[in-house]
Amino acid sequence: ILPAYVKLAQDLPALGREYLSVMAMIALIAVPAVAGVAATASFLVLLILGPAWVGAAILLQILAFFGITQVLQSNAYAAFLAVGRHQVFVKINGMHVAILLPLATFATVFYGVEGAAWAYVAAGTVVLPLNFIIITRFLHLSGWQFVSSVWRPICSAAVMYLVVRTVGPPAPTSVIPTGEAARSLIICIAIGVPVYVFGVLALWFLAVGRHQV
């Protein structure tokens, strides 16, 4: 996406429209994919890494939430680089590290590896809105323009995660047979995909209906 942004670097309104378009696509595809990993982490670890790594499932689940913050921020980083504002990118990363280091140290001492993973999530979550505020102001975009491009997929992905974890097979607390893990993963996918698609379409049609009234 960076080459496309570079071509539009001298036309901020066009760059802003392209940024929102890419942001909407990231939210539509990447966010539910990462949320799906979080919802099915236990089964994925058993199938991909094997029974010896079953204890790592909780870490994968936690870090998937961190992955969502990074996926959403990546588009802004490309826009900053395209317009030659790499120093903004550096300052935001510096702030992220400044928040992460003490938080991770404290969390690791008192809560171990899981605490460190949650520290990554917390630091990413704190920096995320700052990232969006800076890039939207620079591109002369309103907060509503940004929110309207991402809220439907994000809300639908959150609902999908909750439904899969509530209705789908329970996450195993110990090693289960590979076949059972595979069946559970398939069931989770069969539940999650329709819920997500229905959620996005329902919210989209709701928004269209309001505009037509």
Short mmCIF file of all heavy atoms in Angstrom, two decimals, residues 54-98:
data_model
loop_
_atom_site.label_atom_id
_atom_site.label_comp_id
_atom_site.label_asym_id
_atom_site.label_seq_id
_atom_site.Cartn_x
_atom_site.Cartn_y
_atom_site.Cartn_z
N VAL A 54 0.32 -26.96 24.50
CA VAL A 54 -1.05 -26.61 24.87
C VAL A 54 -1.09 -25.44 25.86
O VAL A 54 -2.03 -24.62 25.84
CB VAL A 54 -1.77 -27.84 25.46
CG1 VAL A 54 -1.14 -28.26 26.79
CG2 VAL A 54 -3.26 -27.56 25.63
N GLY A 55 -0.07 -25.30 26.68
CA GLY A 55 -0.04 -24.20 27.64
C GLY A 55 0.14 -22.84 26.99
O GLY A 55 -0.11 -21.80 27.62
N ALA A 56 0.60 -22.83 25.72
CA ALA A 56 0.82 -21.56 25.03
C ALA A 56 -0.46 -20.99 24.43
O ALA A 56 -0.45 -19.87 23.92
CB ALA A 56 1.86 -21.74 23.91
N ALA A 57 -1.56 -21.73 24.51
CA ALA A 57 -2.80 -21.29 23.89
C ALA A 57 -3.27 -19.96 24.46
O ALA A 57 -3.72 -19.08 23.74
CB ALA A 57 -3.89 -22.35 24.05
N ILE A 58 -3.17 -19.79 25.77
CA ILE A 58 -3.63 -18.56 26.39
C ILE A 58 -2.79 -17.38 25.92
O ILE A 58 -3.30 -16.26 25.75
CB ILE A 58 -3.58 -18.68 27.95
CG1 ILE A 58 -4.16 -17.42 28.59
CG2 ILE A 58 -2.17 -18.94 28.43
CD1 ILE A 58 -5.59 -17.15 28.27
N LEU A 59 -1.49 -17.61 25.69
CA LEU A 59 -0.64 -16.52 25.19
C LEU A 59 -1.03 -16.12 23.78
O LEU A 59 -1.06 -14.93 23.44
CB LEU A 59 0.83 -16.95 25.23
CG LEU A 59 1.42 -17.24 26.61
CD1 LEU A 59 2.87 -17.66 26.49
CD2 LEU A 59 1.30 -16.01 27.50
N LEU A 60 -1.33 -17.12 22.94
CA LEU A 60 -1.77 -16.83 21.58
C LEU A 60 -3.07 -16.04 21.59
O LEU A 60 -3.25 -15.09 20.83
CB LEU A 60 -1.95 -18.12 20.79
CG LEU A 60 -2.47 -17.98 19.35
CD1 LEU A 60 -1.52 -17.13 18.52
CD2 LEU A 60 -2.67 -19.35 18.71
N GLN A 61 -3.97 -16.43 22.48
CA GLN A 61 -5.25 -15.74 22.58
C GLN A 61 -5.06 -14.28 22.99
O GLN A 61 -5.65 -13.37 22.39
CB GLN A 61 -6.15 -16.44 23.59
CG GLN A 61 -7.53 -15.81 23.72
CD GLN A 61 -8.39 -16.55 24.73
OE1 GLN A 61 -7.88 -17.27 25.59
NE2 GLN A 61 -9.69 -16.39 24.63
N ILE A 62 -4.22 -14.04 23.98
CA ILE A 62 -3.98 -12.67 24.45
C ILE A 62 -3.28 -11.85 23.38
O ILE A 62 -3.68 -10.71 23.08
CB ILE A 62 -3.14 -12.68 25.74
CG1 ILE A 62 -3.90 -13.38 26.87
CG2 ILE A 62 -2.77 -11.26 26.16
CD1 ILE A 62 -3.07 -13.64 28.12
N LEU A 63 -2.23 -12.42 22.78
CA LEU A 63 -1.46 -11.67 21.79
C LEU A 63 -2.24 -11.43 20.50
O LEU A 63 -1.91 -10.52 19.74
CB LEU A 63 -0.15 -12.40 21.49
CG LEU A 63 0.85 -12.40 22.65
CD1 LEU A 63 2.08 -13.24 22.32
CD2 LEU A 63 1.27 -10.96 23.00
N ALA A 64 -3.30 -12.21 20.27
CA ALA A 64 -4.16 -11.95 19.12
C ALA A 64 -4.83 -10.59 19.28
O ALA A 64 -5.01 -9.85 18.30
CB ALA A 64 -5.20 -13.05 18.97
N PHE A 65 -5.21 -10.24 20.51
CA PHE A 65 -5.80 -8.92 20.75
C PHE A 65 -4.78 -7.82 20.49
O PHE A 65 -5.10 -6.76 19.96
CB PHE A 65 -6.33 -8.84 22.17
CG PHE A 65 -7.49 -9.75 22.44
CD1 PHE A 65 -7.38 -10.81 23.32
CD2 PHE A 65 -8.71 -9.56 21.78
CE1 PHE A 65 -8.46 -11.65 23.56
CE2 PHE A 65 -9.78 -10.40 22.02
CZ PHE A 65 -9.66 -11.45 22.90
N PHE A 66 -3.54 -8.08 20.87
CA PHE A 66 -2.46 -7.13 20.56
C PHE A 66 -2.30 -7.01 19.04
O PHE A 66 -2.08 -5.92 18.51
CB PHE A 66 -1.15 -7.58 21.19
CG PHE A 66 0.05 -6.78 20.77
CD1 PHE A 66 0.19 -5.47 21.19
CD2 PHE A 66 1.02 -7.34 19.96
CE1 PHE A 66 1.30 -4.72 20.80
CE2 PHE A 66 2.12 -6.61 19.56
CZ PHE A 66 2.27 -5.29 19.99
N GLY A 67 -2.45 -8.14 18.36
CA GLY A 67 -2.34 -8.13 16.90
C GLY A 67 -3.38 -7.25 16.25
O GLY A 67 -3.11 -6.61 15.23
N ILE A 68 -4.59 -7.19 16.83
CA ILE A 68 -5.63 -6.32 16.28
C ILE A 68 -5.19 -4.86 16.33
O ILE A 68 -5.38 -4.11 15.37
CB ILE A 68 -6.95 -6.52 17.05
CG1 ILE A 68 -7.52 -7.92 16.75
CG2 ILE A 68 -7.97 -5.45 16.66
CD1 ILE A 68 -8.78 -8.25 17.53
N THR A 69 -4.59 -4.45 17.44
CA THR A 69 -4.13 -3.05 17.53
C THR A 69 -3.04 -2.77 16.51
O THR A 69 -3.01 -1.68 15.92
CB THR A 69 -3.59 -2.74 18.95
OG1 THR A 69 -2.38 -3.47 19.19
CG2 THR A 69 -4.62 -3.10 20.01
N GLN A 70 -2.16 -3.73 16.26
CA GLN A 70 -1.08 -3.52 15.31
C GLN A 70 -1.59 -3.50 13.87
O GLN A 70 -1.11 -2.73 13.03
CB GLN A 70 -0.01 -4.61 15.47
CG GLN A 70 0.66 -4.59 16.83
CD GLN A 70 1.19 -3.22 17.20
OE1 GLN A 70 2.13 -2.73 16.59
NE2 GLN A 70 0.58 -2.58 18.20
N VAL A 71 -2.55 -4.35 13.58
CA VAL A 71 -3.15 -4.37 12.24
C VAL A 71 -3.80 -3.03 11.93
O VAL A 71 -3.65 -2.48 10.83
CB VAL A 71 -4.19 -5.51 12.14
CG1 VAL A 71 -5.10 -5.31 10.94
CG2 VAL A 71 -3.47 -6.85 12.02
N LEU A 72 -4.51 -2.48 12.90
CA LEU A 72 -5.20 -1.21 12.68
C LEU A 72 -4.21 -0.04 12.56
O LEU A 72 -4.46 0.91 11.83
CB LEU A 72 -6.18 -0.95 13.83
CG LEU A 72 -7.39 -1.88 13.90
CD1 LEU A 72 -8.20 -1.62 15.17
CD2 LEU A 72 -8.27 -1.72 12.67
N GLN A 73 -3.09 -0.12 13.27
CA GLN A 73 -2.11 0.97 13.21
C GLN A 73 -1.23 0.92 11.98
O GLN A 73 -0.70 1.95 11.56
CB GLN A 73 -1.20 0.91 14.45
CG GLN A 73 -1.89 1.29 15.74
CD GLN A 73 -0.93 1.34 16.91
OE1 GLN A 73 -0.18 2.29 17.06
NE2 GLN A 73 -0.95 0.31 17.73
N SER A 74 -1.07 -0.23 11.37
CA SER A 74 -0.13 -0.39 10.26
C SER A 74 -0.45 0.54 9.10
O SER A 74 0.44 1.06 8.43
CB SER A 74 -0.11 -1.84 9.78
OG SER A 74 -1.39 -2.21 9.29
N ASN A 75 -1.73 0.79 8.85
CA ASN A 75 -2.13 1.65 7.75
C ASN A 75 -1.68 3.09 7.99
O ASN A 75 -1.24 3.79 7.07
CB ASN A 75 -3.64 1.59 7.57
CG ASN A 75 -4.10 2.26 6.29
OD1 ASN A 75 -3.42 2.24 5.28
ND2 ASN A 75 -5.27 2.86 6.33
N ALA A 76 -1.77 3.54 9.23
CA ALA A 76 -1.33 4.90 9.55
C ALA A 76 0.18 5.03 9.38
O ALA A 76 0.67 6.07 8.90
CB ALA A 76 -1.74 5.26 10.98
N TYR A 77 0.92 4.01 9.75
CA TYR A 77 2.36 4.05 9.60
C TYR A 77 2.75 4.25 8.14
O TYR A 77 3.63 5.04 7.82
CB TYR A 77 2.99 2.75 10.12
CG TYR A 77 2.90 2.56 11.61
CD1 TYR A 77 2.99 1.30 12.18
CD2 TYR A 77 2.71 3.65 12.47
CE1 TYR A 77 2.90 1.11 13.56
CE2 TYR A 77 2.62 3.48 13.83
CZ TYR A 77 2.71 2.21 14.38
OH TYR A 77 2.63 2.04 15.73
N ALA A 78 2.06 3.54 7.24
CA ALA A 78 2.35 3.67 5.81
C ALA A 78 2.05 5.09 5.33
O ALA A 78 2.79 5.66 4.53
CB ALA A 78 1.53 2.66 5.02
N ALA A 79 0.96 5.68 5.82
CA ALA A 79 0.59 7.04 5.43
C ALA A 79 1.63 8.05 5.93
O ALA A 79 2.01 8.97 5.20
CB ALA A 79 -0.80 7.39 5.96
N PHE A 80 2.10 7.89 7.15
CA PHE A 80 3.12 8.79 7.68
C PHE A 80 4.39 8.72 6.84
O PHE A 80 5.00 9.75 6.52
CB PHE A 80 3.47 8.41 9.13
CG PHE A 80 2.43 8.82 10.14
CD1 PHE A 80 2.03 7.93 11.13
CD2 PHE A 80 1.84 10.07 10.11
CE1 PHE A 80 1.07 8.30 12.07
CE2 PHE A 80 0.89 10.44 11.04
CZ PHE A 80 0.50 9.55 12.02
N LEU A 81 4.81 7.52 6.49
CA LEU A 81 6.02 7.35 5.69
C LEU A 81 5.85 7.95 4.30
O LEU A 81 6.78 8.55 3.75
CB LEU A 81 6.37 5.86 5.58
CG LEU A 81 6.81 5.18 6.88
CD1 LEU A 81 7.01 3.69 6.65
CD2 LEU A 81 8.10 5.81 7.40
N ALA A 82 4.66 7.81 3.73
CA ALA A 82 4.41 8.29 2.37
C ALA A 82 4.56 9.81 2.28
O ALA A 82 5.02 10.33 1.25
CB ALA A 82 3.03 7.87 1.91
N VAL A 83 4.17 10.53 3.32
CA VAL A 83 4.23 12.00 3.29
C VAL A 83 5.51 12.52 3.95
O VAL A 83 5.63 13.73 4.21
CB VAL A 83 2.99 12.61 3.97
CG1 VAL A 83 1.73 12.25 3.21
CG2 VAL A 83 2.87 12.15 5.43
N GLY A 84 6.43 11.64 4.23
CA GLY A 84 7.71 12.07 4.78
C GLY A 84 7.67 12.45 6.23
O GLY A 84 8.53 13.20 6.72
N ARG A 85 6.69 11.97 6.97
CA ARG A 85 6.58 12.27 8.40
C ARG A 85 7.00 11.07 9.23
O ARG A 85 6.31 10.67 10.17
CB ARG A 85 5.14 12.68 8.72
CG ARG A 85 4.69 13.96 8.05
CD ARG A 85 5.52 15.14 8.52
NE ARG A 85 5.07 16.40 7.94
CZ ARG A 85 4.21 17.21 8.51
NH1 ARG A 85 3.68 16.89 9.68
NH2 ARG A 85 3.86 18.34 7.93
N HIS A 86 8.14 10.50 8.88
CA HIS A 86 8.60 9.31 9.60
C HIS A 86 8.88 9.62 11.07
O HIS A 86 8.85 8.75 11.91
CB HIS A 86 9.86 8.75 8.93
CG HIS A 86 10.99 9.74 8.87
ND1 HIS A 86 11.08 10.68 7.88
CD2 HIS A 86 12.05 9.93 9.69
CE1 HIS A 86 12.17 11.41 8.07
NE2 HIS A 86 12.77 10.99 9.16
N GLN A 87 9.17 10.91 11.38
CA GLN A 87 9.45 11.27 12.77
C GLN A 87 8.22 11.06 13.65
O GLN A 87 8.34 10.75 14.85
CB GLN A 87 9.95 12.72 12.88
CG GLN A 87 8.91 13.79 12.59
CD GLN A 87 8.81 14.10 11.10
OE1 GLN A 87 9.30 13.34 10.28
NE2 GLN A 87 8.19 15.22 10.78
N VAL A 88 7.03 11.23 13.08
CA VAL A 88 5.81 10.96 13.84
C VAL A 88 5.74 9.47 14.18
O VAL A 88 5.40 9.09 15.30
CB VAL A 88 4.56 11.39 13.04
CG1 VAL A 88 3.29 11.04 13.80
CG2 VAL A 88 4.61 12.87 12.73
N PHE A 89 6.07 8.66 13.19
CA PHE A 89 6.10 7.20 13.37
C PHE A 89 7.06 6.84 14.50
O PHE A 89 6.74 6.03 15.37
CB PHE A 89 6.53 6.57 12.04
CG PHE A 89 6.78 5.10 12.08
CD1 PHE A 89 5.74 4.21 11.95
CD2 PHE A 89 8.06 4.60 12.23
CE1 PHE A 89 5.97 2.84 11.97
CE2 PHE A 89 8.30 3.25 12.26
CZ PHE A 89 7.25 2.36 12.13
N VAL A 90 8.23 7.47 14.50
CA VAL A 90 9.24 7.19 15.52
C VAL A 90 8.75 7.62 16.91
O VAL A 90 8.92 6.90 17.90
CB VAL A 90 10.57 7.90 15.19
CG1 VAL A 90 11.57 7.75 16.34
CG2 VAL A 90 11.16 7.34 13.90
N LYS A 91 8.12 8.80 16.99
CA LYS A 91 7.63 9.29 18.28
C LYS A 91 6.53 8.40 18.85
O LYS A 91 6.49 8.14 20.06
CB LYS A 91 7.12 10.73 18.13
CG LYS A 91 8.24 11.74 17.90
CD LYS A 91 7.67 13.13 17.67
CE LYS A 91 8.78 14.14 17.43
NZ LYS A 91 8.25 15.51 17.17
N ILE A 92 5.63 7.95 17.99
CA ILE A 92 4.55 7.07 18.46
C ILE A 92 5.13 5.75 18.96
O ILE A 92 4.73 5.24 20.00
CB ILE A 92 3.53 6.82 17.33
CG1 ILE A 92 2.77 8.10 17.02
CG2 ILE A 92 2.55 5.71 17.73
CD1 ILE A 92 1.82 7.99 15.85
N ASN A 93 6.10 5.20 18.22
CA ASN A 93 6.73 3.96 18.66
C ASN A 93 7.50 4.18 19.97
O ASN A 93 7.52 3.31 20.85
CB ASN A 93 7.69 3.44 17.59
CG ASN A 93 6.99 2.56 16.58
OD1 ASN A 93 5.88 2.09 16.82
ND2 ASN A 93 7.61 2.33 15.44
N GLY A 94 8.14 5.35 20.09
CA GLY A 94 8.85 5.65 21.32
C GLY A 94 7.91 5.72 22.51
O GLY A 94 8.22 5.22 23.60
N MET A 95 6.74 6.32 22.30
CA MET A 95 5.74 6.38 23.35
C MET A 95 5.24 4.98 23.71
O MET A 95 5.03 4.66 24.88
CB MET A 95 4.57 7.27 22.91
CG MET A 95 3.50 7.45 23.97
SD MET A 95 2.21 8.59 23.43
CE MET A 95 3.16 10.09 23.23
N HIS A 96 5.07 4.15 22.68
CA HIS A 96 4.62 2.78 22.92
C HIS A 96 5.62 2.03 23.79
O HIS A 96 5.24 1.35 24.75
CB HIS A 96 4.44 2.08 21.57
CG HIS A 96 3.94 0.67 21.69
ND1 HIS A 96 4.55 -0.39 21.07
CD2 HIS A 96 2.91 0.14 22.38
CE1 HIS A 96 3.91 -1.51 21.36
NE2 HIS A 96 2.91 -1.21 22.15
N VAL A 97 6.89 2.18 23.46
CA VAL A 97 7.94 1.50 24.24
C VAL A 97 7.99 2.06 25.66
O VAL A 97 8.15 1.30 26.63
CB VAL A 97 9.31 1.66 23.55
CG1 VAL A 97 10.43 1.12 24.44
CG2 VAL A 97 9.32 0.93 22.20
N ALA A 98 7.85 3.39 25.80
CA ALA A 98 7.90 4.02 27.12
C ALA A 98 6.76 3.53 28.01
O ALA A 98 6.93 3.42 29.24
CB ALA A 98 7.83 5.54 26.97
#
